[in-house]
């Protein structure tokens, strides 16, 4: 009840939640969230998957998701990077974040940070390409970028693509039937 009253349709992106409810949950609420399995990371079953789907987000959220995926004891043939034409928010996504790695996902040793900021990513999809260029990924991994347009999304209320829209574009590729691993997170849980 309280979460829906505070968050439901008042924000469009996870990083905006802190503007609506800036205080952290108290210990009682955290205990309830833990019982509901909303606190601890959910690790995938060990095994082989046809592919992994990396959902779009802000720059550092994408990096954390990719780092989490690469640390799992799973094998997958293809990495589907599901980005969109969402315009980046300069307050959360700009040169300060584009060229500063996170500890969980360092840049590959031969990546050169540009000295001038020309042709910076403007959309979520462009930023996700940059993230994938910056880090060391398995050499035999096939990466497929999905760039969902700003068409009216499935909730018919905004032009911002949502998860359903990017997954629709993924399914339009007619992927091989099998097991796929989807990587996302709540505001704090991978």
């Amino acid at each position: 009840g309280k979460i829906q009253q505070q968050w439901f349709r008042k924000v469009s992106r996870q990083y905006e939640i802190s503007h609506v409810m800036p205080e952290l949950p108290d210990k009682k609420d955290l205990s309830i969230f833990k019982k509901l399995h909303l606190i601890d990371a959910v690790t995938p079953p060990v095994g082989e998957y046809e592919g992994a789907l990396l959902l779009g987000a802000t720059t550092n959220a994408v990096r954390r998701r990719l780092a989490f995926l690469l640390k799992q004891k799973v094998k997958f043939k293809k990495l589907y990077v599901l980005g969109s034409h969402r315009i980046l928010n300069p307050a959360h996504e700009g040169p300060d974040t584009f060229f500063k790695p996170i500890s969980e996902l360092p840049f590959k040793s031969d990546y050169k940070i540009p000295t001038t900021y020309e042709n910076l990513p403007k959309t979520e999809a462009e930023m996700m390409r940059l993230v994938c260029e910056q880090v060391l990924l398995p050499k035999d991994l096939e990466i497929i970028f999905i760039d969902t347009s700003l068409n009216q999304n499935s909730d018919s209320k905004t032009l911002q693509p949502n998860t359903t829209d990017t997954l629709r574009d993924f399914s339009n590729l007619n992927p091989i039937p099998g097991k796929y691993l989807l990587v996302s997170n709540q505001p704090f849980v991978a």
Side-chain angles (χ1 to χ4, degrees):
K2 268 190 174 182
I3 292 173
Q4 279 190 323
Q5 290 171 2
Q6 291 294 317
W7 293 350
F8 188 72
R9 294 281 180 221
K10 290 187 179 186
V11 297
S12 60
R13 301 283 170 220
Q14 287 180 357
Y15 63 79
E16 295 174 321
I17 289 172
S18 64
H19 301 298
V20 175
M21 183 181 252
E23 69 277 356
L24 292 173
D26 62 26
K27 287 184 180 184
K28 178 183 166 201
D29 289 340
L30 284 173
S31 172
I32 292 168
F33 291 161
K34 189 164 183 70
K35 288 177 185 174
L36 291 169
H37 303 285
L38 299 176
I39 299 293
D40 299 318
V42 178
T43 56
V46 174
E48 292 192 31
Y49 295 80
E50 287 299 324
L53 285 67
L54 179 66
L55 296 184
T58 58
T59 308
N60 284 335
V62 168
R63 286 191 176 116
R64 285 190 303 273
R65 291 172 183 186
L66 184 55
F68 180 81
L69 172 63
L70 295 174
K71 289 179 184 166
Q72 302 309 304
K73 295 177 180 166
V74 296
K75 293 180 183 178
F76 49 94
K77 301 169 186 170
K78 297 178 181 181
L79 175 62
Y80 296 88
V81 180
L82 280 65
S84 73
H85 285 210
R86 174 184 69 79
I87 303 299
L88 299 177
N89 180 332
H92 298 278
E93 303 163 295
D96 292 346
T97 57
F98 294 155
F99 304 111
K100 184 178 179 190
I102 60 170
S103 60
E104 306 97 306
L105 190 69
F107 289 169
K108 56 188 171 187
S109 60
D110 63 347
Y111 180 74
K112 303 282 189 243
I113 296 174
T115 54
T116 59
Y117 298 140
E118 297 173 7
N119 302 317
L120 291 176
K122 293 176 183 58
T123 67
E124 177 184 71
E126 291 172 358
M127 172 271 294
M128 292 178 80
R129 283 181 185 273
L130 177 66
V131 168
C132 289
E133 290 170 10
Q134 293 171 327
V135 300
L136 187 60
L137 295 171
K139 291 187 187 302
D140 59 344
L141 182 62
E142 182 181 352
I143 303 172
I144 297 105
F145 293 96
I146 297 173
D147 191 350
T148 300
S149 68
L150 291 177
N151 294 331
Q152 194 144 10
N153 73 15
S154 58
D155 69 12
S156 299
K157 293 182 181 172
T158 67
L159 293 177
Q160 291 281 30
N162 61 22
T163 302
T164 301
D165 300 314
T166 57
L167 289 174
R168 180 200 61 237
D169 287 354
F170 162 73
S171 68
N172 287 342
L173 296 175
N174 296 315
I176 296 170
K179 292 191 306 184
Y180 288 83
L181 183 59
L182 187 130
V183 184
S184 185
N185 60 295
Q186 301 167 37
F188 308 105
V189 183

